[in-house]
Every structure is written in C-alpha cells, then in structure tokens.
Amino acid sequence: MSFNVVDLPGVERTPRDPHAPRVLIYSHDTFGLGHIRRCRAIANSLVANYPHISVIIISGSSVISSFQFGDGVDYVRIPGVEKQSDGRYGPHHLNLDLTDTIRLRTDIIKQVVLSFDPDVVIVDKEPVGLRGELIPALEVLRRRGARIVLGLRDVLDEPTKLYEEWRHTGAIEALEQVYDDIFVYGLESIYQPLAGLPNQHLFADKIRYTGYLKRAVPSPMPPNRYPRITKGPFILVTPGGGGDGAGVIDWVISAYEADPTIALPALIVFGPFMSRERRKEFAERIARLPKLESLGFEPRLELLMNRAHCVVAMGGYNTFCEILSFDKPALIVPRVKPRLEQAIRAERADHLKLIDVLHDPAQNGEGARDPLVMAAALHALPKRVPPSQAFVPSLLDGLPAVARALADDLSMPVRGRILAQNAAVVS
C-alpha cells in the first residue's frame, strides 16, 4: 500500500460496490480550520489505501466546500456554530437559538448514521459531540456493531481544564463505555493528552499513539497566480484560520516597519476568519512595505508551505504537521487563550529542537510587543536547521498507522457486517 500520497486522486476510479466498507468521520468545527483539515487528511489517506471504500465527513465548517477531496470521499454540512467573544456558542448563520440549532444538528447526524450505516466511525476530538449532539447517533452505532474510534490531536489542553470541560458532558464515561479505540495523532514521548484524567485504567489499553499526520503537496490544478515574492525565497506567515491571528500578523508587519534590513520578504496569508476590518488595516500597512505581500485565503496552503523557505505561524496542529512534512525552519508564536494547546505543543517541540518558539508578551500580560524582537527572530529564522535534523523516530507515521489500525475493517472487499450475516444464514 502507498502511504505517502494522501492528496492525489487515482488515474481511474474504482468500480462502485454498495457492499464495500463505509467510514463516517464526525467533525464539530466551531472555530478555525483545524478540525476539517485533519479529517480531510485522514479521509483522503484512507481512500488512497483502500480505494473501494466510501467515506462521509459530517462537518459544521463553513468553508468545507473550498477543499479538495479524493474519489470516494464526500461530506454532509450541518448548520454551523461559532464560539463568540464571550466564550459562549451561537449559530453561525441561522436565526435560531443555540438549543434549536443543536437539536437540528443532532437530527441530521443521526439520520446520516441511519442511512449511511458505517462500519467505522472516527470522531474528531469531542467524545460526545458538541453539547452532546452525537449521543443519539453513538447509541445507534453501538447497537449496529460499528467500530467507534476517537481521534485526538497531540495536545488538547492542560489536564485540569480538560477535565472540567469533559466531566459534565459524559465524555469521560464515553471513553470507557462507547469507544473501541482512541487514536492520538502524535507521539507519547512528546505529550499524553489524556494524562491526568480519572480512571485511566478503564481506557488506557485503547490508546494508540500514531505519530503526526504527514501532508503532501496537493494534486495538480489550474496554475495559481501567487504574489511576485514567491518566485524567490520567502517567509510564509500563517495564522491558520485567522480568527485569532491578528497579534502575530501585527507583530510581523511591525518588524518590517522597524527594520527594513530583514533579508527575506514575507507573504502573509490572513485566513478566512480574520475580520474584514483587521484585514483592511493590515493590507494598507503591507502596501507600504516592498518586502511584504498578502493573500486572503488559500485552501491548498500546502502549495505555499512547500514553496516557502521558512515559516512563521501560531502553531496549531495542522500547521505544525505541515511544517514537519515539508521540513521547513519555523518560528512558532503560540496563543495562550482560550486554551494552552498551542503553547504546550510549541514548548515540547522547541525542547526537541524541531522549531523555535517566541512568546507574545501582549498575550502573556507582560507588556507590548517589541518590533525589534520579532525582527531579530526573522533575521535568524532562515539560518535555522530544518526539523528533520532533530531525528525524532516515527514522527510522521500517523496516516499509515491509522490505515494499518483499520485494515481488518476496510481491506475486505465486502463489509464485515454483510459477511457475518451471510455466515449466519449458511450455518
């Protein structure tokens, strides 16, 4: 099996078979791009390794249609929910209250489960879904004998905060009672996201550390018109979805304003969720600096990551995977609110010499950002060795590990449930 190509469609489409295995992936997607991009990478990898299967992604992402999926993968978009500035959730578009929106999402998810009848289900991050919306579907899946997998990124949050989030929802009980497997898309030696939760012995034997999810350059498409600075060495600056990335972008721009001798130019990609006001303000400042250019949103960011000489990023899970996959010297400026996920990951990665980390004093309550501090980091960045020189074993084995772990359910030409039914009839 080919495990490295995760984004290339086959030359010829595999013949359709209604009895072939089926996979359902759930992604609640309340903020940013991380969840849908992770689920997309897994889905594309599974159909690359098992071309006869079908995969449906259930997602609340408002930009899911911007992404490219392999043959055999489709998606169902449920009404979007977003986290507001006060930390509460609300509908993204609908003029409904949150309770009615969650009820609608719950009904759609359950109906997809009933109709699609998956053999394998991969739940991204939230064991019972947003506000428990997945519980009715999970009950159906248990009765039907589906294999239910919880997929977790390497870092969720500090243990005490994670426990507070999960203990009222039934998520911790679900680890023991509902899930057959818990895949952690990282390395145990870097971080153990469930460490510190109570009753570890009840689910510890289900945990499998896969390694990080390696990314590939997307398949050829009509040529993109990228800004002129991408024709030579440049720094890619990416805040992920951009909803909370204004700080790092402001700091980078101010560094170029304060120090015009920074050698490499930079391309800043705002992301789809940055506010129109902040984007306009940044674009006006960038227009006055010959070494800076910008883009709004690039769904195939891997193309730019592969082309860049080095990267400045906030350090979300997917961006971290891309930095490792394309072996780019990187400076991570992690956020610390509303959770410490990015800061924990950045500190562990810096300790292993995979990346450099620079903390934002404005986020940490330590004063204003100094443009010359960022300028010094940008001067040093192109001279940094790439992550591969840290020689961390099994670092990027995540996608092949997931494919191998699900081989018993997906490699057969006919669904396991169909085989079991036939065997019962014969006997």
Side-chain angles (χ1 to χ4, degrees), residues 92-109:
H92 192 187
H93 295 294
L94 294 177
N95 294 319
L96 299 176
D97 62 21
L98 181 61
T99 299
D100 285 344
T101 303
I102 294 295
R103 184 183 300 116
L104 178 58
R105 286 166 57 109
T106 300
D107 291 344
I108 295 172
I109 294 166

Side-chain angles (χ1 to χ4, degrees), residues 148-215:
I148 307 177
V149 178
L150 178 64
L152 301 176
R153 63 183 183 232
D154 58 342
V155 183
L156 297 172
D157 203 345
E158 52 186 330
T160 54
K161 188 164 185 179
L162 179 65
Y163 177 60
E164 283 301 311
E165 287 184 3
W166 279 9
R167 72 188 181 96
H168 297 299
T169 65
I172 295 175
E173 291 79 5
L175 300 182
E176 174 201 356
Q177 299 170 11
V178 174
Y179 285 92
D180 301 297
D181 307 274
I182 301 172
F183 294 168
V184 178
Y185 307 130
L187 294 180
E188 186 174 10
S189 59
I190 293 181
Y191 196 74
Q192 301 171 40
L194 300 182
L197 291 181
N199 299 320
Q200 283 269 314
H201 65 284
L202 297 176
F203 54 82
D205 61 341
K206 300 179 182 181
I207 300 174
R208 181 195 303 253
Y209 290 85
T210 66
Y212 290 90
L213 305 178
K214 186 176 183 179
R215 307 306 165 85

Side-chain angles (χ1 to χ4, degrees), residues 214-350:
K214 186 176 183 179
R215 307 306 165 85
V217 179
S219 54
M221 294 280 285
N224 288 21
R225 293 177 178 243
Y226 290 132
R228 57 174 178 78
I229 64 171
T230 63
K231 298 183 183 300
F234 70 97
I235 301 171
L236 175 65
V237 182
T238 169
D244 54 0
V248 66
I249 290 181
D250 176 70
W251 205 1
V252 169
I253 295 173
S254 69
Y256 281 88
E257 289 170 334
D259 184 357
T261 70
I262 297 172
L264 288 187
L267 174 64
I268 297 174
V269 181
F270 295 132
F273 303 119
M274 180 165 289
S275 71
R276 185 176 303 175
E277 294 76 16
R278 294 312 301 267
R279 188 181 301 192
K280 181 175 182 294
E281 172 199 336
F282 290 147
E284 290 173 352
R285 292 168 63 190
I286 288 169
R288 295 192 289 267
L289 297 167
K291 289 185 178 178
L292 291 184
E293 294 196 58
S294 64
L295 283 177
F297 172 43
E298 174 50 75
R300 297 189 300 155
L301 191 68
E302 300 93 337
L303 290 170
L304 287 171
M305 185 80 71
N306 186 52
R307 187 180 294 196
H309 181 80
C310 45
V311 177
V312 176
M314 292 174 61
Y317 179 83
N318 289 281
T319 303
F320 183 62
C321 287
E322 290 163 354
I323 287 167
L324 300 180
S325 300
F326 299 114
D327 204 24
K328 301 298 179 179
L331 176 68
I332 301 298
V333 185
R335 72 175 183 215
V336 297
K337 298 175 182 178
R339 59 181 73 249
L340 288 175
E341 170 222 340
Q342 292 185 3
I344 293 171
R345 179 182 299 112
E347 291 291 347
R348 297 300 176 98
D350 182 61

Side-chain angles (χ1 to χ4, degrees), residues 44-124:
N44 284 353
S45 173
L46 290 178
V47 296
N49 286 284
Y50 306 107
H52 61 300
I53 72 170
S54 292
V55 181
I56 285 182
I57 300 173
I58 296 179
S59 171
S61 172
S62 60
V63 295
I64 188 171
S65 61
S66 301
F67 293 98
Q68 181 183 7
F69 297 94
D71 286 342
V73 181
D74 211 332
Y75 60 87
V76 173
R77 185 177 181 271
I78 53 179
V81 174
E82 61 181 353
K83 185 178 287 187
Q84 298 167 341
S85 58
D86 59 4
R88 294 184 296 178
Y89 290 104
H92 192 187
H93 295 294
L94 294 177
N95 294 319
L96 299 176
D97 62 21
L98 181 61
T99 299
D100 285 344
T101 303
I102 294 295
R103 184 183 300 116
L104 178 58
R105 286 166 57 109
T106 300
D107 291 344
I108 295 172
I109 294 166
K110 183 178 178 181
Q111 189 56 54
V112 173
V113 164
L114 289 169
S115 298
F116 188 54
D117 191 25
D119 302 276
V120 174
V121 176
I122 302 175
V123 174
D124 186 69

